Amino acid sequence: TTEDNLMFKKIPDKEEVEESVWSANSDAAPGTDGLTTLLYKHCWELLGDSLTDVCQAIYGGASPTLSQRTSLMVYGSKNNKPPNSTDPNHKRRISLLNSDFKTFTGILNNRFKKVTTHTLNPNQLSAGDNRRIHHGINKARDAIQAATSRNEGVGILDNDYKAAFDFMVLTWVLKVLKAKGLDQEVINLILNI
């Protein structure tokens, strides 16, 4: 809606930056700068204005710095896989982003959460404030049982959310967002970030 686009285009104020900081995981590993979100939380009175200035500059069109965009890739063992295995299928890729980058992308994420109730299909159960993924699991079970009782073939794709995100083509997502009415200025912000 027009109101949604205005919300997305708004330069974040200090309260919105603080909301992003406080909604972030304090225990997440630091990025290349070595700073964690816990530092921003603990020293908010000292660092809050500066972090707000950085977020406002980026939402105003400035490009994130190379160090903000740099992520350190590490590989951790997947659950129930041998920890010393050299098989890439036994590893999970983890991208360690700098906390300031997480903060300004967190603002955008929080804004997207606000529109999910009227922009996503009601069958999309894993996003928004009311995550109802267990409803989706029950629907899948019911579909299998119904097909089995009628002796019909059935198939269900169980897509790993992380893998789907890692292999996602952003240009397609932006085309979908544009078709849904997202303002080009907001799409440019996403591309800039």
Side-chain angles (χ1 to χ4, degrees):
T1 65
T2 302
E3 293 80 21
D4 293 338
N5 277 313
L6 289 173
M7 183 237 343
F8 278 116
K9 293 194 289 188
K10 183 180 107 126
I11 300 292
D13 57 20
K14 187 174 181 181
E15 288 75 28
E16 194 173 15
V17 174
E18 185 176 19
E19 178 187 350
S20 179
V21 168
W22 259 262
S23 67
N25 181 358
S26 297
D27 298 324
T32 57
D33 61 4
L35 304 177
T36 66
T37 304
L38 181 61
L39 174 74
Y40 290 114
K41 290 178 181 179
H42 187 71
C43 299
W44 180 252
E45 295 303 318
L46 181 64
L47 300 174
D49 288 334
S50 297
L51 184 59
T52 300
D53 290 344
V54 169
C55 292
Q56 289 176 338
I58 290 168
Y59 274 79
S63 292
T65 65
L66 183 59
S67 67
Q68 286 171 325
R69 288 181 190 218
T70 301
S71 67
L72 178 65
M73 299 302 293
V74 296
Y75 296 87
S77 296
K78 290 182 179 177
N79 291 344
N80 303 322
K81 300 293 181 189
N84 296 327
S85 173
T86 57
D87 183 347
N89 292 325
H90 292 176
K91 301 295 182 189
R92 179 170 173 256
R93 190 175 73 200
I94 303 170
S95 177
L96 304 177
L97 296 166
N98 291 341
S99 293
D100 55 353
F101 191 87
K102 291 177 187 175
T103 299
F104 56 79
T105 57
I107 293 167
L108 193 57
N109 181 56
N110 289 340
R111 290 177 178 184
F112 271 111
K113 282 182 183 177
K114 292 176 183 175
V115 301
T116 57
T117 56
H118 60 275
T119 58
L120 291 179
N121 183 300
N123 291 318
Q124 170 56 280
L125 306 172
S126 63
D129 293 333
N130 183 14
R131 295 181 181 196
R132 301 171 295 136
I133 193 65
H134 57 280
H135 294 294
I137 294 167
N138 290 334
K139 283 182 178 182
R141 183 205 60 221
D142 293 345
I144 291 169
Q145 287 179 344
T148 301
S149 69
R150 291 191 297 246
N151 208 18
E152 296 176 358
V154 66
I156 292 185
L157 170 65
D158 179 15
N159 196 9
D160 179 285
Y161 178 75
K162 277 243 182 252
F165 182 80
D166 289 343
F167 297 124
M168 176 180 63
V169 177
L170 185 60
T171 53
W172 171 253
V173 174
L174 295 177
K175 286 181 181 182
V176 170
L177 290 173
K178 185 158 183 71
K180 283 183 160 282
L182 189 64
D183 191 281
Q184 185 63 46
E185 190 177 327
V186 181
I187 292 172
N188 292 342
L189 170 65
I190 295 168
L191 286 169
N192 184 39
I193 291 174

